[in-house]
Amino acid sequence: MIPETGHFALILALMVALVQATVPMIGASRGDRAWMDLARPAAFAQFALVAIAFGALVTCYVTSDFSVLNVAQNSHTDKPLLYKVSGVWGNHEGSMLLWVFILGLYGMAVAAAGGNLPPALRARALAIQAMIAIGFILFILLTSNPFARLDPAPFNGNGLNPLLQDPGLAFHPPMLYLGYVGFSMAFSFAIAALIEGRVDAAWARWVRPWSLLAWCSLTLGIGLGSWWAYYTLGWGGWWYWDPVENASFMPWLAGTALLHSSIVVEKRDTLKAWTILLAIITFSLSLLGTFLVRSGVLTSVHSFASDPARGVFVLALLVVVTGGSLTLFAFRASALKGGGLFAPISREGSLLLNNVLMSTGAGTVLLGTLYPLFTDALNLGKVSVGPPFFNSVFLPLMVPMVVTMAIGPLLQWKRGDLAGALSRLKVAFAATVAVAVATWLLAGGAAGPLWAAGGLGLAAWLFVGTLIEWAERVRLGRCSFGEFLQRCRHLPRSAYGMTITHAGLALVIVGITGSTAWKTEHIQVMHPGQTVDVAGYQVTLDGTQDNIPGPNYTALRATFTARKDGKLIAVMNPEKRQYTMPPRPTTDAAIHTNLIGDLYVVIGDPDGAGGFVTRLYYNPLVPWIFLGTVIMVGGGLVSLTDRRYRVGAPLRTARAVAAAARA
Amino acid sequence: MIAKKLFAAIVLMAVAVGPAWAVQPNEMLKDPKLEGRARELSKDLRCLVCQNESIDDSDADLAHDLRVLLRQRLQAGDTDAQAKQYLVDRYGDYVLLKPPFKTSTLVLWLGPFAFLLVGAGIAAAYYRRRTATAVAADPAVAPLSEAESRRLAALLEDDKKS
């Protein structure tokens, strides 16, 4: 009964979406307020119905209802509750339902918080949201129904891939989808603006918080995925340029460009057509990312083609969304007259440069990810595009960008003074040189990796440059302490957001450089009692214990002790687990971190003579990657609390004043 | 044909199982310098039956065989380039994670430059059009009158003298 309720609610949600997509749109073109205002209750109803559907599927998972095919294929009674719930989105059908659920959530948020939006813009944006919902709900109902029954119901389910049974990965898909779907807001507003033929500073101000929220979620989602890869895949890597990772990285790059260009629209009323185009591209890449991961096209073009129902639908949806919006853009973009002028050397100019580099990056990742599929499909032979390709293309793009990141915020709007900005960055330049030289000397002089010195120098440039910009804005050391505090208080939150996020990126660069340049690795067979030296730590294998029962696995657990100069630093217990359903082995690395670096210990197979294969790593500065990512997200959230973006604030104040006057 | 496909599917499933174990202690060379070269090289070589994994990261049997083969070549005195070529001769360009520059990869390698050029072109066109339309359309920045031009020239002269 519960799955049927969910199925029925989803069909009803489709009906509501059909109404929401048409009536307010017609109302907006006719100027009929009643028709336009239908969008808001429709958005609420659509969310409620999708929430019922989603809740029904979650209930099926939690109660282990194996008469539902999807549950039987992806769950098991022995799974801990967290992974029963996360199993909902650990598969194609369920993840599509999560996607629609989050889409409904955003739609409802606009309906609830968009009180100060012009009615026509709100009606059109919500109608376009509903059109996206129609596409996705139809996709679920026609090709990927999660509520399909199974008769007879099996005694137990097939279980979830044990690699996915991990807290990091349990929350990874919802965060990613909050990001992907969040960019649908920018998309809907962009299309609505194209229909109206008007983009102005107010429009940018309405769109920006949604893009910012999406960007924060996507950044956190990518960070969670990377963190998960770091501690579960068992050899301490954190980014592989895997197509699945690239799928989430493309919208991130485009979305970052969108965030920056929408600043220009808001402050200077220009770069409008470009911003609209970026909104379309970002959401298209989000769609592409969703489907690349879920459709199986990456595994093999042929397996994709052999089950064409989903594939054709997916392609059709992509063509309609991307093609349709780009066609609209081609017709209407010329109507978007730009306002403010600016010279190449200016704040706008630096943001435009950021946009060009970010978009080139996104295009490169897209090309590299899809190229093997193209050559395979066109019979041009099989091509591998792996990390060495991406690294060699990405580095030359990102270095000038990071260099500009310190300079751009110091330039004035319209026409900047490059020499002046550079002279204000003298301290940053000195720090760069000092850090680079110190790194080079500490890493062993001529023998040390020169590029690592460059990497840390670049991070210092960005970090100090960012702090200089903040210090100048609050006149640190150039005015009385009281005035300084006053300025700190009055500096807009969005300015703090930029400072924090850019500084966070500097930490990420430190982490990337350090872990790539100075990672040490020891692979050997160890017998209990044996000690190996790892980057100044003495790591001893004390012993192992086999057949330790877990909820749905048995584990081989090893006990290592790490000492430094005879002093005990940590007792570490890596595990090698054998899951029962599905029967698969996983590794559970033990990590000891002191925030400068991670000691990373993995236990492997026995060698048959009392010894075990062990892998001991020292991963210097890796914690900085994740710390930096969290700081970047934090900066985004700080920016989100900026007074200007509190949607509806001015209107509500006016109403409150009126109410007070009446009382 | 079907049997071959089935086999490929089974191999893929076996590969997808569990975490990668990659390099095993018994594969490693005694000479740390040679082993270091082998590790660097294996990062650029693809495990042919895996999804985008290098032979350095993969635990597939084939990756193991390729790692051993690579080390044999290095021990036999091959240079890095020769050892790589040896594998390319046997397995084709597919084994290289960084595809070589040739006709079939032209678009891949030139693509990023094309993107950059298009981006730069849009930006340049933007700056040019902006200045042109601004001067033409905006009365506030109408061209200088003759008197203004003369005065500007005089001021610039003064500037040079001082």
Side-chain angles (χ1 to χ4, degrees), chain A residues 280-504:
Chain A
I280 294 172
I281 289 175
T282 305
F283 183 58
S284 301
L285 289 175
S286 295
L287 282 184
L288 188 69
T290 311
F291 289 130
L292 278 182
V293 175
R294 289 296 171 194
S295 66
V297 67
L298 290 172
T299 329
S300 154
V301 181
H302 308 294
S303 79
F304 179 74
S306 65
D307 179 16
R310 279 181 188 173
V312 168
F313 203 118
V314 165
L315 278 179
L317 202 59
L318 265 175
V319 167
V320 169
V321 171
T322 313
S325 49
L326 286 179
T327 310
L328 184 65
F329 177 80
F331 279 109
R332 301 303 296 268
S334 55
L336 306 172
K337 288 268 183 299
L341 310 173
F342 59 89
I345 305 260
S346 63
R347 182 88 62 91
E348 299 97 315
S350 71
L351 288 166
L352 188 57
L353 180 66
N354 148 300
N355 271 226
V356 170
L357 292 173
M358 279 288 194
S359 310
T360 306
T364 302
V365 178
L366 179 69
L367 188 65
T369 308
L370 296 184
Y371 203 76
L373 301 182
F374 285 139
T375 54
D376 199 12
L378 300 175
N379 282 325
L380 290 172
K382 285 173 81 105
V383 175
S384 300
V385 183
F389 169 81
F390 290 107
N391 288 336
S392 62
V393 178
F394 237 69
L395 202 65
L397 282 177
M398 290 304 120
V399 170
M401 197 178 80
V402 175
V403 170
T404 325
M405 273 174 79
I407 304 171
L410 285 171
L411 295 173
Q412 293 90 344
W413 295 105
K414 293 174 92 166
R415 185 179 295 277
D417 171 13
L418 185 60
L422 287 178
S423 80
R424 283 144 79 196
L425 284 168
K426 266 186 290 207
V427 180
F429 188 72
T432 308
V433 174
V435 167
V437 170
T439 308
W440 184 60
L441 290 178
L442 286 176
L450 210 55
W451 64 267
L456 292 194
L458 194 66
W461 166 256
L462 175 58
F463 191 78
V464 178
T466 302
L467 287 188
I468 288 175
E469 196 270 344
W470 171 78
E472 286 198 352
R473 289 188 76 152
V474 296
R475 295 187 63 79
L476 179 68
R478 290 184 195 175
C479 61
S480 69
F481 188 65
E483 193 192 335
F484 162 71
L485 281 185
Q486 183 116 11
R487 281 175 174 275
C488 282
R489 246 202 323 277
H490 287 299
L491 192 64
R493 297 260 181 91
S494 57
Y496 278 111
M498 184 205 78
T499 307
I500 296 169
T501 307
H502 285 190

Side-chain angles (χ1 to χ4, degrees), chain B residues 95-117:
Chain B
V95 79
L96 297 173
L97 280 170
K98 184 175 177 175
F101 186 77
K102 53 193 245 186
T103 334
S104 63
T105 59
L106 211 60
V107 177
L108 178 70
W109 279 109
L110 295 183
F113 293 99
F115 286 132
L116 196 60
L117 275 180

Side-chain angles (χ1 to χ4, degrees), chain A residues 230 511 593-598 619-629:
Chain A
Y230 174 64
T593 181
N594 59 3
L595 293 183
I596 304 293
D598 285 355
N619 294 320
L621 299 172
V622 164
W624 290 44
I625 297 177
F626 305 115
L627 191 69
T629 309

